[in-house]
């Protein structure tokens, strides 16, 4: 038998799947990482990898539960934005895919190596 929390989580996930509106940062990250694994933080211009963003998203979701009407959105390229008004045209991009270059290649290689090491453990 499914608990009320499990039922709510399942319904939330189904809605997110069909709309592309993710109430939780981790949900948006899991979609974005299929397209990108190294971003730039729009506010600081600092590079950020999947692992760093995972920690930030988990901590943020734990400290700040979703607010009705707000959501995260993921672009086709893997950018992650927040819609504070519940309107896609009002998206605040938080993380954008890092531009090609030596720094991105190095960071991406680090991510892939760490993922490979974790899968071999």
């Amino acid at each position: 038998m499914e608990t009320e929390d499990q039922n709510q989580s399942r319904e939330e996930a189904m809605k997110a799947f069909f709309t592309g509106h993710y109430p939780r940062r981790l949900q948006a990250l899991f979609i974005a990482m299929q397209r990108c694994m190294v971003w730039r933080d729009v506010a600081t211009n600092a590079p950020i990898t999947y692992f760093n963003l995972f920690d930030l998203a988990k901590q943020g979701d734990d400290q700040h539960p979703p607010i009705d009407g707000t959501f995260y959105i993921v672009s086709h390229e893997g950018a992650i934005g927040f819609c504070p008004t519940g309107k896609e045209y009002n998206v605040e991009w938080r993380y954008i895919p890092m531009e090609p270059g030596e720094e991105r290649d190095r960071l991406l290689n680090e991510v892939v190596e760490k993922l490979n090491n974790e899968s071999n453990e």
Side-chain angles (χ1 to χ4, degrees), residues 27-99:
Q27 292 170 318
L29 176 59
F30 288 140
I31 299 302
M33 71 172 271
Q34 297 173 33
R35 303 166 188 170
C36 179
M37 295 188 72
V38 181
W39 297 264
R40 281 214 183 269
D41 182 316
V42 172
T44 65
N45 203 38
I48 188 162
T49 68
Y50 163 74
F51 291 104
N52 302 116
L53 195 49
F54 177 86
D55 292 338
L56 287 173
K58 183 168 178 6
Q59 183 181 26
D61 283 348
D62 289 345
Q63 292 176 356
H64 307 285
I67 299 170
D68 284 343
T70 66
F71 57 86
Y72 292 87
I73 192 167
V74 178
S75 76
H76 290 287
E77 298 83 11
I80 302 171
F82 181 66
C83 297
T85 63
K87 307 289 185 208
E88 286 186 19
Y89 65 80
N90 197 23
V91 65
E92 298 171 358
W93 294 107
R94 303 279 174 90
Y95 305 100
I96 56 172
M98 194 169 176
E99 68 283 349

Side-chain angles (χ1 to χ4, degrees), residues 3-18:
T3 68
E4 187 175 329
D5 284 345
Q6 289 171 326
N7 184 45
Q8 182 179 358
S9 292
R10 185 176 49 76
E11 288 176 10
E12 183 180 275
M14 289 293 289
K15 181 179 177 187
F17 175 78
F18 287 111

Side-chain angles (χ1 to χ4, degrees), residues 95-111:
Y95 305 100
I96 56 172
M98 194 169 176
E99 68 283 349
E102 289 181 25
E103 184 179 27
R104 185 195 72 170
D105 292 345
R106 180 182 54 78
L107 292 170
L108 186 56
N109 286 335
E110 289 175 10
V111 169

